[in-house]
């Protein structure tokens, strides 16, 4: 039990196929109602698919677990209708500080430019996140969330997957055209399909202590190397909601988990950090190890893996849940188009290629962070300590300090869905990149570019032609389509009286756009192609390429 949170208990219900004993074939069954499974159900349902969501529990996660949610996942959740609420409920921050012993070695800002709707980071206990997502799922008529349902086995066939499911009323069978496995690091679904899961385990153990206290620490991420209150190890401090603070203590290889989580061991560590007069209460304590590894393939026939079921990273950099949400952002539109017959199954293979590429990037970043935080040799430690000493006075050394590179989206720069630039472009919005947000005036009122993109895609998976300029700058501009997949037009003008106005020019600046520039935007708000002028034949070819149509 937590002093600041009361766990909900969700109701089990018996389905029609349980009562009748006749299996029903569902478009999609999602396994696991954690943050990734709940996000998957919402995204798939909003793209027109009926979804059954199975979870073997009847409440939200025990303990705060995941804490930090980055700007890109918040933008994805905003598209699904919950992002703004999460940003308002959580603790916003963007500044981090790194200390060597007790001296400031490095300071960073995750959002150095203004004018973005979503904050750089929000800290929010995972149970708050899950409760908000469960409420959104309950309001979505296309989702059937089934608590206390455990997947026992599955068998794949040419056009469906047969599932054996256990519930409080016994075992029954169900069917799905597609299964999305979001059942965590110890995924049973992964075992059922015989998938390999390989990578690196780390021996170091860390203590998580969630502490209720009044404190005058600023709303920042603070990380200490070798502080005087925990010599030879590292410590991380984060603020959460409800006056709860997350403190992570590095313990070393030989720590006894059962011993270290006892209050008699935890409280002196916290008191040494906060001082003898500090008033605090332990909320939740856990000892953990971690791994950096991933699945061999994100797609195994009609079973697709996402989140921790597909990859694990160290907690440094908040790459776990944030990466999983982006898995779903990539998968949902592709699955909706393939299931409806508007795109070939080759499009689902691009999910594996793009998200495996992103997973490898996250694993690489996570492993580098872990090696810096926990050196494995005397030489590595001396190098790390030298970098920290130099960082206090030498700017060149500060980017080398690695207390966990914070989660950012991985551009799919080599994706087969991209159409390479045929003309010079400035700026970061190259094909494969997640769209940058920017403030706009929409119908004369303040709004945001990503909101406008989402509105054009509100009736299922659709592409968008994002065009910059007045009508005279964009001769022939018109929607295009391939096999029932439409690319509608969203035109941004500098004219203040335009329906979609960019009076300050920030959108044009972030997209390196001149009058006449056109971008083809995927349903997951990633750039597929861009041109300096509209050409219907080029757009059509790029759309076919982004759909993996022959």
């Amino acid at each position: 039990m937590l002093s600041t949170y009361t766990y909900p208990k969700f109701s089990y219900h018996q389905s029609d196929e349980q009562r009748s004993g006749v299996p029903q074939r569902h478009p999609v069954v999602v396994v696991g109602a954690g943050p990734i499974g709940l996000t998957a159900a919402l995204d798939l349902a909003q793209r027109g698919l009926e979804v059954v969501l199975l979870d073997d529990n009847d409440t939200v996660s025990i303990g705060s677990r995941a804490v930090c949610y980055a700007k890109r996942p918040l933008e994805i959740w905003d598209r699904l209708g919950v992002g703004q609420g999460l940003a308002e409920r959580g603790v916003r921050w963007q500044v981090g500080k790194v200390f060597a012993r007790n001296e400031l070695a490095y300071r960073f800002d995750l959002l150095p430019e203004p004018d973005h709707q979503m904050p750089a980071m929000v800290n929010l206990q995972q149970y708050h996140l899950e409760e908000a997502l469960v409420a959104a799922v309950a309001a979505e008529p296309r989702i059937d969330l089934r608590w206390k349902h455990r997947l026992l086995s599955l068998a794949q066939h040419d056009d469906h997957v047969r599932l054996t499911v256990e519930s409080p009323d016994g075992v029954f069978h169900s069917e799905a055209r597609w299964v999305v496995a979001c059942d965590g690091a110890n995924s049973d679904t992964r075992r059922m399909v015989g998938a390999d899961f390989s990578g690196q385990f780390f021996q170091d153990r860390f203590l998580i202590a969630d502490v209720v206290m009044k404190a005058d620490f600023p709303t920042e991420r603070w990380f200490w190397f070798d502080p005087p209150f925990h010599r030879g190890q590292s410590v991380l401090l984060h603020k959460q909601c409800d006056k709860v603070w997350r403190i992570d203590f590095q313990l070393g290889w030989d720590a006894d988990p059962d011993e270290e989580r006892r209050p008699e061991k935890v409280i002196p560590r916290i008191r040494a950090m906060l001082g003898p007069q500090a008033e605090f209460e332990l909320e939740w304590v856990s000892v953990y190890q971690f791994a950096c590894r991933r699945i061999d393939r994100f797609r195994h026939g009609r079973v697709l893996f996402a989140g921790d079921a597909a990859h694990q990273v160290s907690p440094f950099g908040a790459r776990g849940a944030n990466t999983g949400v982006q898995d779903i952002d990539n998968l949902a539109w592709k699955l909706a188009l393939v299931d409806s017959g508007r795109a070939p199954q080759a499009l689902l293979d691009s999910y594996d290629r793009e998200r495996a590429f992103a997973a490898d990037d996250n694993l690489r970043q996570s492993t580098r962070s872990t090696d810096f935080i926990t050196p494995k040799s005397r030489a590595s430690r001396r190098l790390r300590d030298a970098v920290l000493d130099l960082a206090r006075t030498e700017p060149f050394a500060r980017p080398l300090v690695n207390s966990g590179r914070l989660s950012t989206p991985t551009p799919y720069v080599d994706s087969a869905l991209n159409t390479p630039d045929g003309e010079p472009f400035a700026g970061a919005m190259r094909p494969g990149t997640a769209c940058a947000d920017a403030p706009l005036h929409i119908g004369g009122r303040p709004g945001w570019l990503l909101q406008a993109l989402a509105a054009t895609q509100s009736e299922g998976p659709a592409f968008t032609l994002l065009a910059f300029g007045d009508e005279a700058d964009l001769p022939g501009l018109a929607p295009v389509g391939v096999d029932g997949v439409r690319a509608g037009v969203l035109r941004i003008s500098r004219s203040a009286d335009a329906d979609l106005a960019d009076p300050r020019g920030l959108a044009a600046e972030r997209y390196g756009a001149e009058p006449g520039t056109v971008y083809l935007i995927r349903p997951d708000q990633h750039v597929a192609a861009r041109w300096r002028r509209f050409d219907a034949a080029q757009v059509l070819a790029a759309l076919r390429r982004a759909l993996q149509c022959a």
Side-chain angles (χ1 to χ4, degrees), residues 10-69:
F10 301 116
S11 299
Y12 160 79
H13 69 270
Q14 192 179 59
S15 63
D16 291 340
E17 56 192 325
Q18 286 176 271
R19 285 189 289 269
S20 67
V22 178
Q24 295 179 7
R25 185 168 299 181
H26 308 283
V28 184
V29 169
V30 176
V31 183
I36 310 309
L38 290 161
T39 301
L42 278 172
D43 205 346
L44 290 163
Q46 291 188 19
R47 297 191 186 281
L49 288 164
E50 301 285 335
V51 180
V52 172
L53 176 55
L54 306 178
D55 195 272
D56 59 5
N57 207 337
D58 61 358
T59 190
V60 294
S61 67
I62 304 301
S64 65
R65 301 202 179 189
V67 170
C68 303
Y69 306 105

